[in-house]
Amino acid sequence: MDSLALRGLGGAARARSRDGDKMAAAAARDGSFGRKTLKSAKPARPFVVGSIVRILMKNFLTYDSCEVFPGPNLNVVIGANGTGKSSVVCAICLGLAGKPYLIGRADKVGLFVKQGCTRGLVEIELFKPPDNIIITREIQVVNNASTWFLNRKPATLKTVEEQIAALNIQMDNLCQFLPQDRVGEFAKLSKVELLEATEKSIGSREMYQFHCELKNFRERERELEHLCREKTNSLEKMKQRVERYKQDVERYHECKRHKDLIEMLERKRLWVEYENVRKQHEVVKQSRTQAKKDVKILKEKQSPWTKKIQEAEENLNSLDMKNKDNAAKIKEFSQKIKQKQDALEIKEKKIEEIKQELRMKKAEEMDRQKKIRYTQELIEAWKNELNTMVVCENLQPQIDAVNNELKKLQEEKANIDSDVSDLRAEKRNQEREEKRVIDHLGQLNNIMKMKEENLKGRFRDTYSALMWLRKNKDKFKRRVCEPMMLEINTKDSRHAKYVENHISSDDMRAFVFESQEDMEMFLVEIRDHQKLRVNAVCAPAESCAERLPSRPIEELQRYGFFSYLRELFDAPHPVMSYLCYQYRVHEVPVGTERTRDMIERVIQETKFRQIYTAEERYMVKVSSYTNLTLSTNTSLRAAQFLSSSVDTDERRQLESQQQIINNALKLLDMRLTTLLERQKHLEHRDNELRQQKKELLDRGNRRRQLESKIGLKYDSLRQLEQDAVDLEKESQLANLKIKEINKQKAELVTELKHHAKGTIPLNILNEVLTLQRIKATAEKNRLESEYKAESVQLRAAEQRFHELDDRKQFLYENCRELMKQARQACKLSPDQDLPEEFKIAFQALPNTLEEIDAFLNEEKTRASCFTGLNASVVEEYNKQTQEIQQLTKYLEEKKNELNNYKQNISQVKERWLNLLKEMIEQINEKFSKFFSSMQCVGEVDLHAENEEEYDKYGIRIRVKFHSSTELHELTPYHQSGGEKSVSTMLYLMALQELNKCPFRVVDEINQGMDPVNERRVFELFVETACKKRTSQYFFITPKLLQNLTYNGNMTVLFVYNGRFLMETKKWNTKDFRKERRRLTMMHSSSSRMDQL
């Protein structure tokens, strides 16, 4: 058995070799990396190609400088917590181009450089004859940059990755590289992911290649099948469409034949119509010439009668002139007579106006007399009332009493109005406050709804369990809290990141129970019956929520701390008790950038295990061997769940405040109602008193009013008596005016008689002239009658001539238009004759318009039966036919391609499944054997829901740790942590002998095991990993059980790192062995003495 001790002292780390099959010593001094090798007594066991021969670290995590020489088989790296075991694992990962997230410790490579340094270095030497490969990675803290070297020469990351891939090193494969912080992820691997990881780890290169080809083939097969189905459906639809188009095409051609015949008939009809009109034009033209001759002969016969009629018209015109002159004279006399008659009417109107004026004055006088009598009677009545009225009584005391009562009422009304105004103002204030409280409660409820939607989106199973819990809370004996992410409310959203980084995501979505029995009942229902993946925790029996911190926060403010983590949030009592117990939130201080600037001093002086600064979390550990303080820091993740929080105390206060406001509003309404009723009563009493006061005042003012009215009426009476009219005098003046007007009327009548006598001779002359005109008119009418009898024949001849002339012109224009239309229909130029093809076609058609129209109507009727057809139907038919041919050819090609893919899939599937089943059988054989040796049962088989879905194939691990239970699939939830660790370890051991990768790393996987299982697993581990032809193995652990079985082919690397250890140069392996033999001999002698 080989052993190697690693320890840190001052600024450098030392490496010391061991005795056994291989003797080697490595020393690293400050500022330099040296190597010194001692020859071994035996030849070294051969390394597998790609195994790690040497690991060099400088300014890396806990090391200033360290160089490690692992063995070719099992390497057990052991050392106390915090000494730097996992630093070796980190160096392997990062040195072989692994990403930081694969380690699970930090997301930036610069964080792996030792604190206080600006750069670090990792160098890995890999075995590969004839010359090993040396990969060097230099890490700069600034910008998290890395510089790569291959065999001491600068290289790119891609070149390094290609070299590593060629050696089948897979740092992202959990079957090969399983760091401490990702041990739990192995059990979370799905069956599909586990198969892929296993294929990459131990399968042949062609196996994984076959699997990838199958998945690609199957994907392409699905695409081709889908494409063929789509194209087949499209082809069938196109054929059906073409079949429909075929009938339409036949109907279109038939319709076109009818339309062509219609077009030819319409052409011939125009020519036949033109010929008919042309013949009519010739006939009308001859008739017009004859009619013109007849009109000329008739005009020569009527010329004497025309002369006599002209003479009669001249005589009649002379009589009309004389009659006109006489009528003008009669009109002149009539106008003069009309003027005199109008003057007489004016005089009559003036007389009537004078009489009307006299009548009006008489009426005014009578009205004045009436007013005088009425006024005298009114004065007499008021005097009688005044005489009968007693001396005015003294009403002032009664008025004063009413005024006093009114004053008291006004004061009470003012007080009530003031009270009502105050109450209404108070009510408005209460209503505004109620609205503010309701709005604030609505905002809080919206925040809670957002948190529930976040839970639903991220953890669907937890949300379903929450809905079930809310409906079934009565089934539980004690309090059950909803998932912590809903129950925790940060007092300031900026502090949510501290809480979320401190509490694991599993606990953030965990339900919290006060009773263990309630929790078990809940998990049986949710996990076993509903198959939901949920987390649940139980609060400690003894409450921890009120625990006080070890020191008050005021003492820590000088370090930049402003609060303990517990004070940054609110939570129900069970949740807070659990967090104080599990996460010690009452002992975790939160600081600022000031804390970050003085972090080394803070760690040394405060002795806190966990510290938060503005953007980082510090984990502090103290070595149990050396008391050396070690710290790691990680950047804080942004808050995901608690950025929106609801203050439950504030919510309860708001609900209580709302109830108080509602009660206050009800009381205010009652007081307002009482005051308004009192106000109404006072208003009624006020009206009554005002009416009483008015009546008293009216009684005191009546006598004065009567005396004033009587005085005014006496004044009015005197005025009426002064306005008297002398009617007799007015009557005499009116008679004188009428007499004067009558004289003027007599003169007008004399003149009117004179003008009437002058019109008599003129009227007689007018009658004579009228008789002469009648005689002349009769003579003219006689001549015209005789002329008319002769002119009827002339007018008939002229009318016939004009009609024939118009008809001739119309037929001429019609001929020209028809000729133009006929040529246009046949598409002929003005000088072009009718082509022979038209003549031949016209011969087969009817020759009369009636026959053509009948034939044309028949063809149009037939053509009208073919509706909805056009030339695009034929074009579409031809296009679709061509597309069908192309699609048929394309579909045939794709079907052939699909058949080829199916053949390829069948061939590759058979080869892949043979290799895969053989590999899984070998794994299952080893895995079952390991479990049997531990008195447990374990199986590994191939799982496939559908044989054709190659991306759904997976490896299923089923285990049974107790004889009373059944085999259960390995999941993150069903088995305990120790059972998952054992299962993971045994599966990796089953891969060991089949492993194609050069090395495997497992970090602290034994920490969750009980001592019995840990011993059994270790013995199997040693037995398996130390066989010949197995790959290199790194097993990292902080401790080992006593009296374990070891193998000479294994290498034990002891990690000693602390300021109080012996310096490397003082080590002497021979002295160690000599002292060990002396102690053994002393122990043996003591035992013999005891026996004696």
Side-chain angles (χ1 to χ4, degrees):
M1 178 180 70
D2 296 339
S3 65
L4 176 67
L6 304 178
R7 70 185 185 91
L9 182 62
R14 305 289 186 257
R16 194 68 177 174
S17 186
R18 59 275 180 196
D19 62 350
D21 293 340
K22 179 179 180 181
M23 299 293 293
R29 296 175 174 82
D30 295 341
S32 64
F33 294 92
R35 178 173 178 178
K36 181 179 178 181
T37 305
L38 301 178
K39 295 297 183 179
S40 174
K42 298 180 181 179
R45 290 176 56 83
F47 283 85
V48 175
V49 174
S51 297
I52 298 174
V53 176
R54 181 175 58 89
I55 304 169
L56 175 63
M57 296 168 283
K58 182 178 180 181
N59 296 334
F60 187 80
L61 289 176
T62 59
Y63 295 111
D64 287 343
S65 176
C66 182
E67 191 170 23
V68 182
F69 296 87
N73 295 104
L74 175 61
N75 291 273
V76 178
V77 182
I78 183 169
N81 287 329
T83 55
K85 305 182 304 301
S86 296
S87 299
V88 179
V89 177
C90 296
I92 293 174
C93 178
L94 298 179
L96 295 177
K99 301 297 186 287
Y101 72 84
L102 297 175
I103 306 170
R105 290 196 168 197
D107 56 351
K108 298 177 181 177
V109 71
L111 297 176
F112 290 89
V113 177
K114 187 172 183 179
Q115 191 171 350
C117 299
T118 59
R119 65 175 184 170
L121 181 141
V122 176
E123 186 172 276
I124 308 291
E125 183 174 350
L126 301 176
F127 180 77
K128 184 182 179 184
D131 296 319
N132 291 347
I133 297 175
I134 300 174
I135 299 172
T136 307
R137 181 176 190 174
E138 187 177 293
I139 303 169
Q140 287 82 29
V141 175
V142 180
N143 299 328
N144 292 293
S146 295
T147 305
W148 294 90
F149 299 89
L150 193 60
N151 294 327
R152 304 289 199 281
K153 296 179 181 179
T156 62
L157 174 61
K158 184 177 180 181
T159 305
V160 173
E161 288 177 340
E162 290 174 354
Q163 286 283 347
I164 292 170
L167 297 173
N168 198 27
I169 297 174
Q170 306 162 21
M171 302 312 297
D172 58 347
N173 189 339
L174 292 181
C175 290
Q176 180 175 350
F177 184 77
L178 191 60
Q180 176 184 352
D181 294 318
R182 299 188 68 198
V183 170
E185 293 184 22
F186 186 88
K188 295 180 182 179
L189 287 177
S190 66
K191 293 185 280 291
V192 176
E193 293 171 337
L194 183 58
L195 173 60
E196 184 174 341
T198 304
E199 283 181 321
K200 290 180 179 179
S201 178
I202 67 169
S204 61
R205 187 181 299 273
E206 61 181 2
M207 179 193 295
Y208 181 67
Q209 193 173 15
F210 286 157
H211 193 184
C212 294
E213 288 179 0
L214 280 173
K215 288 189 285 188
N216 295 333
F217 285 162
R218 177 55 184 158
E219 182 64 26
R220 180 57 179 164
E221 182 186 24
R222 278 196 294 264
E223 292 176 0
L224 289 172
E225 288 175 347
H226 179 69
L227 179 65
C228 289
R229 281 196 300 271
E230 283 188 346
K231 295 303 181 183
T232 302
N233 294 335
S234 300
L235 182 61
E236 187 62 29
K237 291 178 181 177
M238 291 174 67
K239 288 181 177 179
Q240 294 174 1
R241 197 181 305 120
V242 165
E243 191 61 30
R244 291 195 299 272
Y245 284 158
K246 184 176 182 181
Q247 298 174 3
D248 292 342
V249 169
E250 292 176 354
R251 293 176 65 242
Y252 172 80
H253 287 308
E254 185 176 355
C255 178
K256 191 172 185 309
R257 287 194 295 272
H258 289 296
K259 288 183 178 180
D260 292 343
L261 183 57
I262 289 170
E263 185 179 3
M264 193 59 68
L265 284 168
E266 288 176 344
R267 287 171 177 170
K268 182 168 183 180
R269 189 183 187 286
L270 289 172
W271 284 105
V272 171
E273 190 175 0
Y274 161 74
E275 187 62 26
N276 290 342
V277 172
R278 189 188 63 77
K279 290 177 181 179
Q280 291 177 17
H281 177 266
E282 292 297 327
V283 172
V284 170
K285 184 178 179 183
Q286 294 176 1
S287 300
R288 174 184 175 280
T289 304
Q290 184 61 40
K292 187 176 182 181
K293 293 178 180 179
D294 294 341
V295 168
K296 184 177 180 182
I297 293 171
L298 290 173
K299 282 184 176 180
E300 291 174 354
K301 288 182 179 181
Q302 285 192 341
S303 58
W305 291 101
T306 303
K307 186 176 179 181
K308 291 179 179 180
I309 291 172
Q310 288 177 351
E311 291 175 353
E313 286 180 351
E314 291 175 357
N315 185 28
L316 188 60
N317 290 335
S318 176
L319 290 173
D320 288 338
M321 291 296 293
K322 292 178 180 178
N323 196 12
K324 186 176 180 181
D325 293 339
N326 189 54
K329 293 177 180 179
I330 293 172
K331 183 177 180 182
E332 183 180 355
F333 276 102
S334 297
Q335 288 176 350
K336 292 180 179 179
I337 292 170
K338 181 71 171 57
Q339 289 175 357
K340 299 304 178 182
Q341 289 175 345
D342 292 340
L344 285 173
E345 288 179 0
I346 291 170
K347 298 301 180 182
E348 286 292 337
K349 287 181 179 180
K350 286 184 177 181
I351 293 171
E352 184 61 31
E353 288 174 357
I354 293 169
K355 291 180 179 179
Q356 180 65 26
E357 184 178 357
L358 182 60
R359 285 194 296 272
M360 289 177 64
K361 288 182 178 181
K362 289 180 178 180
E364 287 177 359
E365 181 62 20
M366 291 177 65
D367 185 56
R368 189 183 67 82
Q369 293 295 333
K370 286 181 181 180
K371 287 182 178 179
I372 290 172
R373 288 194 298 272
Y374 174 74
T375 302
Q376 290 173 347
E377 292 174 356
L378 191 60
I379 291 171
E380 189 65 27
W382 284 346
K383 283 182 178 181
N384 293 334
E385 183 180 355
L386 192 61
N387 293 330
T388 58
M389 187 177 295
V390 296
V391 179
C392 182
E393 57 183 327
N394 187 12
L395 301 175
Q396 191 60 40
Q398 298 180 35
I399 293 173
D400 292 341
V402 172
N403 286 335
N404 291 333
E405 189 173 356
L406 278 172
K407 185 177 180 181
K408 292 178 181 179
L409 281 176
Q410 292 297 331
E411 291 176 354
E412 187 175 357
K413 282 176 63 179
N415 292 333
I416 290 175
D417 289 341
S418 177
D419 293 342
V420 169
S421 177
D422 292 342
L423 288 174
R424 284 176 174 166
E426 186 177 356
K427 183 179 179 181
R428 286 194 295 272
N429 291 335
Q430 291 289 348
E431 288 174 344
R432 283 195 294 271
E433 183 64 17
E434 183 184 31
K435 184 177 184 300
R436 185 191 68 79
V437 170
I438 292 173
D439 292 344
H440 199 170
L441 279 173
Q443 293 174 1
L444 295 180
N445 290 333
N446 288 338
I447 293 173
M448 197 64 187
K449 188 68 176 177
M450 289 169 57
K451 293 178 71 175
E452 290 180 8
E453 289 297 326
N454 190 10
L455 175 67
K456 182 179 180 181
R458 291 177 176 271
F459 310 110
R460 186 76 181 189
D461 287 0
T462 305
Y463 181 79
S464 300
L466 174 63
M467 295 298 102
W468 180 89
L469 175 64
R470 289 180 176 176
K471 296 176 182 177
N472 298 275
K473 280 195 173 182
D474 56 335
K475 296 183 179 181
F476 301 96
K477 297 178 180 179
R478 300 188 65 183
R479 183 175 181 182
V480 180
C481 295
E482 294 180 355
M484 292 188 197
M485 64 180 290
L486 300 181
E487 298 285 7
I488 294 175
N489 292 289
T490 55
K491 298 176 181 178
D492 189 333
S493 60
R494 294 174 298 175
H495 300 153
K497 59 184 179 181
Y498 301 121
V499 181
E500 287 196 26
N501 279 271
H502 194 72
I503 303 172
S504 68
S505 60
D506 289 340
D507 278 352
M508 285 296 290
R509 58 191 177 96
F511 295 84
V512 183
F513 293 81
E514 286 188 333
S515 169
Q516 183 72 25
E517 183 180 351
D518 287 344
M519 185 177 76
E520 291 175 356
M521 184 191 77
F522 174 79
L523 292 177
V524 168
E525 171 64 29
I526 298 300
R527 287 184 178 176
D528 297 343
H529 295 169
Q530 298 187 25
K531 306 300 182 184
L532 299 177
R533 296 181 176 182
V534 299
N535 294 336
V537 297
C538 187
E542 182 180 353
S543 175
C544 301
E546 294 80 13
R547 287 184 178 178
L548 297 176
S550 58
R551 65 188 78 177
I553 192 64
E554 290 76 14
E555 295 182 4
L556 304 175
Q557 290 177 353
R558 56 197 177 98
Y559 299 112
F561 293 114
F562 63 87
S563 174
Y564 283 103
L565 190 59
R566 181 177 64 182
E567 313 308 324
L568 299 181
F569 65 92
D570 294 323
H573 189 275
V575 177
M576 187 63 78
S577 179
Y578 174 78
L579 294 177
C580 289
Y581 174 79
Q582 184 69 23
Y583 291 96
R584 301 185 63 80
V585 292
H586 62 292
E587 287 284 3
V588 178
V590 181
T592 60
E593 285 295 338
R594 180 185 170 192
T595 311
R596 171 68 179 84
D597 295 338
M598 55 190 303
I599 190 64
E600 293 184 1
R601 176 187 167 193
V602 172
I603 292 173
Q604 292 296 329
E605 295 181 4
T606 61
K607 307 299 182 182
F608 282 116
R609 295 301 178 90
Q610 295 188 62
I611 295 172
Y612 284 94
T613 62
E615 296 296 336
E616 291 180 330
R617 174 187 184 185
Y618 286 84
M619 302 289 292
V620 181
K621 296 181 181 179
V622 178
S623 174
S624 59
Y625 298 96
T626 64
N627 287 330
L628 182 65
T629 301
L630 305 173
S631 66
T632 58
N633 64 310
T634 55
S635 299
L636 296 181
R637 303 186 307 274
Q640 298 177 347
F641 310 118
L642 304 179
S643 54
S644 301
S645 298
V646 177
D647 191 334
T648 54
D649 291 339
E650 182 184 8
R651 186 174 181 178
R652 284 193 294 270
Q653 290 176 3
L654 288 172
E655 291 172 349
S656 175
Q657 189 176 354
Q658 185 182 16
Q659 184 62 36
I660 293 171
I661 292 172
N662 288 335
N663 295 335
L665 286 173
K666 290 179 182 177
L667 182 60
L668 287 173
D669 289 337
M670 292 173 60
R671 292 175 60 189
L672 271 174
T673 303
T674 304
L675 289 174
L676 290 174
E677 289 177 355
R678 177 61 181 166
Q679 190 180 43
K680 186 176 180 183
H681 173 72
L682 293 176
E683 194 70 33
H684 180 70
R685 179 60 182 161
D686 183 86
N687 293 334
E688 290 178 351
L689 291 173
R690 290 181 184 279
Q691 183 64 29
Q692 184 179 352
K693 181 180 177 181
K694 183 176 180 297
E695 291 175 357
L696 291 172
L697 291 172
D698 290 344
R699 285 168 61 185
N701 296 330
R702 181 62 179 168
R703 185 178 183 88
R704 289 190 298 272
Q705 290 176 352
L706 287 175
E707 291 173 350
S708 176
K709 287 181 178 179
I710 290 171
L712 291 173
K713 285 299 179 183
Y714 270 121
D715 294 340
S716 178
L717 183 61
R718 284 192 294 270
Q719 185 66 37
L720 287 172
E721 289 174 348
Q722 292 175 3
D723 293 339
V725 179
D726 189 356
L727 292 177
E728 185 177 355
K729 182 179 179 181
E730 293 294 333
S731 180
Q732 291 175 359
L733 288 174
N735 289 333
L736 289 174
K737 290 180 181 179
I738 290 171
K739 186 177 179 180
E740 182 64 26
I741 291 171
N742 285 333
K743 289 180 181 180
Q744 295 175 0
K745 285 176 64 178
E747 292 176 357
L748 289 172
V749 170
T750 302
E751 292 177 358
L752 181 63
K753 288 180 180 180
H754 175 72
H755 290 313
K757 288 180 181 178
T759 60
I760 293 173
L762 294 175
N763 288 331
I764 294 171
L765 180 59
N766 187 52
E767 293 297 330
V768 172
L769 290 174
T770 300
L771 291 173
Q772 289 177 356
R773 189 177 186 289
I774 291 171
K775 183 178 179 181
T777 301
E779 180 64 17
K780 179 175 176 293
N781 290 338
R782 184 185 66 79
L783 292 173
E784 286 180 348
S785 297
E786 293 176 356
Y787 175 78
K788 188 176 181 180
E790 294 294 331
S791 65
V792 168
Q793 188 175 1
L794 176 62
R795 285 197 299 273
E798 287 178 344
Q799 183 177 359
R800 175 171 174 74
F801 171 74
H802 290 307
E803 288 178 353
L804 289 172
D805 188 59
D806 293 341
R807 177 67 176 168
K808 171 183 171 293
Q809 189 64 28
F810 171 75
L811 290 174
Y812 177 74
E813 296 295 333
N814 202 5
C815 278
R816 289 182 62 187
E817 184 62 27
L818 289 173
M819 171 63 78
K820 181 178 179 182
Q821 291 178 5
R823 286 187 173 277
Q824 286 178 351
C826 295
K827 299 179 181 179
L828 301 176
S829 61
D831 300 330
Q832 186 179 358
D833 294 332
L834 189 67
E836 192 66 27
E837 59 183 80
F838 284 107
K839 293 180 180 179
I840 297 172
F842 287 166
Q843 290 176 359
L845 300 176
N847 294 319
T848 64
L849 286 176
E850 291 78 7
E851 292 175 344
I852 290 173
D853 288 341
F855 197 6
L856 192 59
N857 290 333
E858 181 180 352
E859 289 300 315
K860 285 182 177 180
T861 303
R862 290 177 179 175
S864 65
C865 297
F866 300 92
T867 58
L869 298 175
N870 51 49
S872 63
V873 175
V874 179
E875 182 181 349
E876 186 64 24
Y877 174 78
N878 295 331
K879 180 181 177 182
Q880 290 286 336
T881 304
Q882 185 177 3
E883 288 181 358
I884 286 173
Q885 294 173 354
Q886 295 174 352
L887 184 57
T888 303
K889 182 179 178 181
Y890 178 77
L891 186 59
E892 188 65 29
E893 293 175 355
K894 292 302 174 184
K895 285 183 178 179
N896 293 334
E897 185 179 353
L898 177 60
N899 292 331
N900 292 335
Y901 267 101
K902 287 183 177 181
Q903 292 176 4
N904 291 336
I905 288 173
S906 177
Q907 295 172 1
V908 175
K909 177 183 178 182
E910 182 179 359
R911 298 169 65 187
W912 176 66
L913 282 179
N914 289 338
L915 294 172
L916 180 62
K917 289 178 180 178
E918 181 182 355
M919 180 189 73
I920 292 177
E921 285 175 2
Q922 293 175 355
I923 295 173
N924 181 50
E925 179 183 353
K926 302 287 184 183
F927 189 74
S928 300
K929 177 182 175 182
F930 293 150
F931 261 84
S932 298
S933 65
M934 297 179 62
Q935 287 76 47
C936 301
V937 179
E939 291 183 359
V940 176
D941 60 4
L942 181 64
H943 180 268
E945 296 176 359
N946 184 348
E947 291 187 359
E948 302 301 322
E949 300 298 331
Y950 304 107
D951 55 346
K952 301 295 177 61
Y953 274 71
I955 289 180
R956 179 174 60 180
I957 300 176
R958 296 192 300 162
V959 294
K960 181 175 74 170
F961 287 89
H962 307 287
S963 59
S964 59
T965 60
E966 298 293 331
L967 279 169
H968 285 283
E969 185 176 340
L970 181 64
T971 65
Y973 310 102
H974 192 277
Q975 289 79 16
S976 67
E979 291 172 345
K980 287 186 285 188
S981 296
V982 170
S983 303
T984 302
M985 197 68 181
L986 295 182
Y987 184 80
L988 296 177
M989 287 167 55
L991 302 183
Q992 180 64 15
E993 293 185 358
L994 307 173
N995 199 2
K996 301 297 182 182
C997 61
F999 65 87
R1000 178 175 287 108
V1001 178
V1002 177
D1003 189 2
E1004 295 193 19
I1005 197 171
N1006 60 331
Q1007 292 308 294
M1009 301 181 191
D1010 59 79
V1012 176
N1013 285 334
E1014 184 177 355
R1015 183 176 297 277
R1016 292 173 179 173
V1017 169
F1018 186 80
E1019 290 174 353
L1020 292 172
F1021 195 53
V1022 171
E1023 179 183 353
T1024 304
C1026 292
K1027 291 181 179 180
K1028 293 182 179 180
R1029 296 184 301 278
T1030 59
S1031 58
Q1032 192 180 38
Y1033 214 110
F1034 290 88
F1035 178 69
I1036 290 84
T1037 178
K1039 64 178 179 60
L1040 288 175
L1041 298 176
Q1042 294 182 356
N1043 300 320
L1044 292 174
T1045 301
Y1046 297 94
N1047 188 290
N1049 293 330
M1050 65 186 289
T1051 301
V1052 180
L1053 303 175
F1054 294 95
V1055 181
Y1056 292 97
N1057 192 8
R1059 64 180 66 182
F1060 303 110
L1061 296 181
M1062 182 187 298
E1063 295 184 13
T1064 306
K1065 61 184 180 181
K1066 296 180 181 180
W1067 283 24
N1068 191 314
T1069 308
K1070 293 181 179 181
D1071 291 344
F1072 291 157
R1073 290 200 300 270
K1074 182 178 180 180
E1075 181 65 20
R1076 180 61 181 171
R1077 283 195 297 268
R1078 186 182 66 81
L1079 291 174
T1080 303
M1081 290 175 62
M1082 287 178 61
H1083 183 268
S1084 301
S1085 301
S1086 178
S1087 298
R1088 285 196 298 271
M1089 290 295 291
D1090 291 340
Q1091 292 174 2
L1092 292 174

